[in-house]
Amino acid sequence: MIKRINDFLAGLPMTAAGGIFLILSFAVSGTDIALPFDPAWISVVICGVPLIYLSVWRIIHLKGISKISSALLISIAMVAAIIIGDLFAAGEVAFIMEIGAILEDMTANRAKKGLKNLLCLTPSRGRRISSGKEEMIEAKQIRPGDILRVLPGEAIPADGVIISGETSVDQSVMTGESLPVDKSAGDEVFCGTINRFGAFDMKAVKTGEDSSLQKLIRMVQDAESKQAPIQRIADKWASFLVPAALLLAVITGLATQDIVRAVTVLVVFCPCALVLATPTAVMAAIGQATKRGVIIKSGEALEKMGKVDTIAFDKTGTLTYGKPVVSDILSFHPNMDAHDLLVLSASAESKSEHPLGRAITAYAREQGIEPPEASAFRMQSGRGICAEISGKKFYCGNETFIRQNNIAIPAEVTEELEKKHAQGKASVIVADGSSCLGLLALSDVLRPQAKSVPNSLSAMGVSTVLLTGDNQRTASYFAGQCGITRVNAGLLPEEKVRCISEMRAQGSRVCMIGDGVNDAPALKTADVGVAMGSMGSDIAVDAADIALMSDDISKIPYLKRLSNATVATIRLSITLSMCINFAAVACSMLGILTPTTGALVHNVGSCLVVLLAARNGSACR
């Protein structure tokens, strides 16, 4: 009951009402208007009760020096002002404190839905093969050693090894790879990944809580639990401020034999401007960033971003678009040009559901080509397709598939395949029944801004590193295009987390930028996590502290500049507010200020802090 009343009084509507009554008290104080009671009493009750409740709660529940907070100092000053009858001073310091708390709460709210979305990826059922019979069972009943069958479109219910069948598996949930990975007997598969094409049988190795997906979930939970709540600057100083204020007030009272001066010292010592310094600067910066399509979820994230000295990028969907497109068309047949090869391959792939086949068909249509429909279409999962066009058989696939159909691959084709592979490209060989006709290379596409961002960050003294689940060749190629020299490739989610933890252990302040489910633990482990909000997964966005809604990574240098400016503004505001407080304390001890005029000094300091925050918000455009 008490807590509900406290929460009601501490809310924005009641705090605003307290401010109105405070203004009314000040307005009538210099007139002959007679009121039944001073309106400042209402401000004291509305804003003072939550303050005293917080002070008492911290004294009872917290341990050690943390019992002493800025709320305790302001409560003491408020009570002292009430005792000498200066209700306006009492209401003013309580009101400013409540405004600071509300502003900080508004900037500290963070989304918590990411873990729930991650849990939804956990497969609920699986097909177990027992005594030659197939039965559908709950995923929690699967044990290591069980033989499982996975059909196209189904989620793999456990970590394991394929024992028969061939397929392509979408592993983006684990590695972030943009393309499904071809799998056959002997290859590992992971829980929660999606079987895209062929059916296969597998032997379960890790199940339930031991599976890769559950490990991913636990990493997000652990990283979330390690995130300490933001501690107010004023509370960090409270262990010094409270004893100092009380000591100075006592010395002033004894030396001057004037209790009003002693109370004035307590009032002006209250860190009201200090309380406002952080949230106002952060609010202004967050508002400015929102206009630029950068969603900052907490003031803590903005402050930490200003201290970041290392930024780690995921590749797929972050530096690149994450979708394969045709990049090269090479014909090896004297009577067939690139256009003819494209028409032929698009026609053969017209019924394919494989991402590479669909990308070829889509590219042909973009070129104004409507490929004729093929007949007798046949697909071998993870290897290639065979189709008849105008009564003649054609093959599109990888080297293994082409050789499997007794078609020789010339040295020049092998040489081109090596070149494309070194450039991080996937290749589709096109052949008829007797020879190779040509080669289509497909590649993920680098975002236009990706080449300039690392250079801009380097100019600000920030180093960059690439952390990706893709293979070393592909990662190195794209990193070279961007000017990133530090590359860690072939990483699973826990390995990305380990890399970030190692960088932090070495003293680096790390920001991670990613877009996939597999990036969620790394986003949480880093000092600051930034997600690609438009194309990124909901889980990555929820796990991150900051989201780029337009997927424009050129906003990263802007975000860094804004964060740097915000941290500088906070430091300047704190310095000025402390200078004002110390000057006011000296004036209070000399009798120049009274509790009322001392309270007005708070308004001067608070207004200055707000103006500095507004300047920061408008300066970083």
Side-chain angles (χ1 to χ4, degrees):
M1 180 66 177
I2 295 176
K3 187 177 186 307
R4 277 190 301 201
I5 293 173
N6 177 76
D7 291 343
F8 172 71
L9 292 175
L12 181 59
M14 291 303 293
T15 301
I20 292 171
F21 283 106
L22 196 63
I23 294 171
L24 181 61
S25 172
F26 183 75
V28 301
S29 61
T31 67
D32 295 329
I33 300 174
L35 296 175
F37 61 90
D38 191 333
W41 268 116
I42 299 176
S43 299
V44 169
V45 172
I46 291 175
C47 301
V49 169
L51 200 59
I52 293 172
Y53 174 86
L54 178 61
S55 302
V56 173
W57 187 92
R58 286 178 174 175
I59 290 172
I60 294 172
H61 295 282
L62 299 185
K63 296 180 181 180
I65 200 71
S66 57
K67 291 177 181 289
I68 301 175
S69 65
S70 57
L72 177 61
L73 173 57
I74 295 177
S75 296
I76 293 170
M78 182 182 67
V79 172
I82 292 172
I83 290 172
I84 67 168
D86 199 328
L87 295 175
F88 176 81
E92 193 270 348
V93 292
F95 173 72
I96 294 293
M97 185 69 176
E98 282 304 296
I99 289 294
I102 287 171
L103 288 174
E104 198 156 83
D105 287 342
M106 289 172 67
T107 62
N109 290 330
R110 302 175 67 180
K112 300 287 185 181
K113 298 182 294 183
L115 189 58
K116 186 184 296 183
N117 291 339
L118 191 56
L119 290 168
C120 291
L121 292 176
T122 305
S124 59
R125 309 182 78 189
R127 301 172 186 274
R128 184 169 62 189
I129 307 299
S130 180
S131 301
K133 294 182 180 180
E134 180 182 308
E135 59 176 338
M136 187 69 75
I137 61 171
E138 297 294 321
K140 61 185 178 183
Q141 296 178 307
I142 297 173
R143 298 289 180 264
D146 283 350
I147 304 301
L148 307 173
R149 178 163 294 162
V150 185
L151 302 183
E154 292 183 343
I156 297 172
D159 288 2
V161 178
I162 295 177
I163 57 176
S164 65
E166 295 177 340
T167 186
S168 293
V169 177
D170 180 353
Q171 295 188 154
S172 59
V173 66
M174 296 301 297
T175 66
E177 291 173 283
S178 56
L179 298 174
V181 178
D182 297 334
K183 301 278 186 178
S184 58
D187 289 333
E188 286 185 321
V189 289
F190 302 105
C191 179
T193 57
I194 307 299
N195 179 30
R196 286 300 182 198
F197 304 109
F200 64 88
D201 290 347
M202 61 174 282
K203 182 179 180 180
V205 176
K206 293 181 180 179
T207 64
E209 293 299 315
D210 295 326
S211 70
S212 300
L213 182 61
Q214 289 300 320
K215 188 184 293 184
L216 186 67
I217 291 170
R218 284 197 299 276
M219 281 191 290
V220 175
Q221 288 174 323
D222 291 344
E224 176 68 31
S225 67
K226 291 175 185 174
Q227 293 289 338
I230 186 170
Q231 186 181 12
R232 292 180 185 172
I233 294 292
D235 286 338
K236 292 178 182 178
W237 285 57
S239 58
F240 158 76
L241 290 173
V242 173
L246 291 175
L247 180 62
L248 278 176
V250 170
I251 292 173
T252 301
L254 292 175
T256 63
Q257 296 296 305
D258 186 349
I259 191 172
V260 173
R261 291 193 189 189
V263 172
T264 304
V265 168
L266 286 175
V267 170
V268 299
F269 223 115
C270 292
C272 294
L274 195 61
V275 167
L276 289 174
T278 297
T280 49
V282 167
M283 285 278 290
I286 287 177
Q288 184 60 36
T290 301
K291 295 176 185 177
R292 298 284 293 268
V294 180
I295 307 302
I296 303 172
K297 297 182 184 179
S298 72
E300 184 180 19
L302 190 66
E303 288 183 76
K304 286 184 175 181
M305 189 68 192
K307 301 170 185 176
V308 160
D309 54 30
T310 303
I311 294 184
F313 290 91
D314 173 47
K315 181 188 78 68
T316 305
T318 303
L319 293 177
T320 67
Y321 285 106
K323 294 181 179 179
V325 297
V326 175
S327 59
D328 304 271
I329 304 175
L330 304 175
S331 175
F332 301 110
H333 193 282
N335 298 323
M336 181 176 289
D337 59 17
H339 178 271
D340 294 335
L341 184 64
L342 176 60
V343 173
L344 176 63
S345 57
S347 178
E349 295 277 12
S350 60
K351 295 182 179 179
S352 174
E353 289 299 316
H354 194 282
L356 295 183
R358 295 175 70 175
I360 291 171
T361 306
Y363 179 76
R365 291 198 170 104
E366 287 173 8
Q367 306 305 308
I369 299 169
E370 192 59 44
E373 189 170 324
S375 60
F377 178 85
R378 178 173 57 85
M379 177 176 181
Q380 187 173 346
S381 297
R383 300 210 173 175
I385 62 98
C386 174
E388 286 188 11
I389 303 172
S390 302
K392 187 176 180 180
K393 275 189 177 183
F394 291 94
Y395 301 86
C396 296
N398 58 25
E399 290 178 85
T400 303
F401 180 72
I402 298 300
R403 287 197 174 98
Q404 196 176 58
N405 287 278
N406 301 314
I407 302 169
I409 300 178
E412 62 176 331
V413 177
T414 303
E415 186 179 333
E416 287 296 336
L417 286 171
E418 284 295 321
K419 286 181 182 178
K420 303 311 175 192
H421 187 55
Q423 294 172 356
K425 298 178 180 180
S427 298
V428 176
I429 302 171
V430 183
D432 58 17
S434 59
S435 63
C436 290
L437 302 177
L439 174 72
L440 280 80
L442 296 95
S443 172
D444 201 350
V445 179
L446 196 69
R447 294 180 185 273
Q449 313 92 336
K451 294 185 178 181
S452 61
V453 168
N455 289 333
S456 299
L457 292 171
S458 179
M460 287 186 274
V462 179
S463 63
T464 54
V465 58
L466 180 63
L467 304 180
T468 178
D470 271 351
N471 63 70
Q472 185 67 46
R473 278 189 173 184
T474 301
S476 297
Y477 174 76
F478 280 103
Q481 294 288 300
C482 300
I484 298 175
T485 56
R486 295 168 59 191
V487 179
N488 290 284
L491 302 178
L492 290 173
E494 60 265 30
E495 292 169 329
K496 287 186 180 182
V497 169
R498 189 188 69 241
C499 287
I500 290 174
S501 298
E502 287 173 355
M503 286 187 280
R504 294 184 67 189
Q506 293 166 3
S508 297
R509 301 286 182 90
V510 184
C511 168
M512 174 68 192
I513 304 175
D515 75 311
V517 175
N518 63 296
D519 296 321
L523 291 169
K524 280 292 185 185
T525 301
D527 293 283
V528 182
V530 179
M532 309 295 281
S534 176
M535 290 182 65
S537 74
D538 290 341
I539 294 167
V541 172
D542 289 333
D545 305 292
I546 300 169
L548 306 181
M549 300 315 295
S550 63
D551 286 345
D552 181 359
I553 62 171
S554 66
K555 298 288 172 57
I556 298 299
Y558 160 76
L559 175 62
K560 180 59 179 167
R561 287 194 300 271
L562 179 67
S563 302
N564 289 349
T566 301
V567 170
T569 298
I570 290 171
R571 288 173 178 167
L572 178 60
S573 297
I574 289 171
T575 301
L576 288 177
S577 65
M578 293 302 292
C579 289
I580 291 171
N581 268 27
F582 289 143
V585 167
C587 291
S588 300
M589 296 175 72
L590 295 172
I592 299 173
L593 294 177
T594 66
T596 297
T597 54
L600 292 175
V601 168
H602 284 95
N603 287 326
V604 173
S606 300
C607 288
L608 183 60
V609 164
V610 172
L611 288 173
L612 284 172
R615 174 184 171 275
N616 173 61
S618 60
C620 294
R621 294 183 185 275

